[in-house]
Amino acid sequence: MGERSFPDLKKKYFSIFRTMDIANLLIYSANDAIFYADDQQFVLSRKKVDHHVEIASNARQNFIAGYSMGLLMRLEMAHCIALGLIVFGSLGELKPGPEQKNLYTYIQNWLWDLQKTEEIQLYQES
């Protein structure tokens, strides 16, 4: 069985969301964070990180910490997910605790990556 295209995966995820009859579904993958709810659906392209950051033992907990912080602050869902990705990436790449300057540096690097022409295709839907 070959790799599925991004549109095929989105259809599969949406089918799972509808079949499970749940309020929200967040798909967290190496490239994207995909969110489904009855009132909104979106994809956030993740900043590309080194493999060791992606598979670190605390990677998932770092994402959950940032995501949960956004929920506690009653941010919009997209902002909660983005905050989760920022905490995950900054703690993985920059190592020290989630200080404001480290989070800001990570955000600046992510924005810089989005501007690089050779990287743009990484952040576009297939």
Side-chain angles (χ1 to χ4, degrees):
M1 182 174 184
E3 276 191 40
R4 293 184 178 205
S5 69
F6 186 68
D8 287 341
L9 287 173
K10 284 193 333 186
K11 288 178 189 174
K12 179 180 177 180
Y13 299 148
F14 188 72
S15 176
I16 291 169
F17 169 67
R18 288 289 182 216
T19 302
M20 293 179 68
D21 194 31
I22 53 178
N24 301 312
L25 176 64
L26 174 59
I27 307 293
Y28 176 90
S29 73
N31 300 317
D32 304 296
I34 305 168
F35 180 77
Y36 293 101
D38 286 332
D39 60 340
Q40 62 179 327
Q41 301 163 6
F42 58 84
V43 177
L44 283 177
S45 295
R46 291 185 40 200
K47 181 180 184 302
K48 187 177 177 181
V49 297
D50 288 335
H51 183 68
H52 76 278
V53 172
E54 192 69 51
I55 63 166
S57 61
N58 58 352
R60 184 174 297 187
Q61 290 83 2
N62 291 340
F63 172 80
I64 291 170
Y67 175 77
S68 298
M69 188 184 323
L71 291 174
L72 287 171
M73 295 185 323
R74 300 182 189 272
L75 300 177
E76 295 290 326
M77 189 55 65
H79 295 133
C80 294
I81 295 168
L83 187 54
L85 293 171
I86 291 164
V87 171
F88 152 77
S90 70
L91 290 177
E93 289 183 0
L94 305 175
K95 302 297 183 220
E99 297 176 21
Q100 185 176 0
K101 66 179 182 175
N102 295 331
L103 297 176
Y104 180 76
T105 298
Y106 186 81
I107 293 167
Q108 289 299 105
N109 290 340
W110 191 355
L111 291 171
W112 184 76
D113 277 355
L114 287 170
Q115 301 305 314
K116 294 185 336 189
T117 55
E118 65 272 9
E119 299 291 327
I120 286 176
Q121 68 186 20
L122 294 174
Y123 296 97
Q124 294 178 342
E125 283 189 40
S126 302

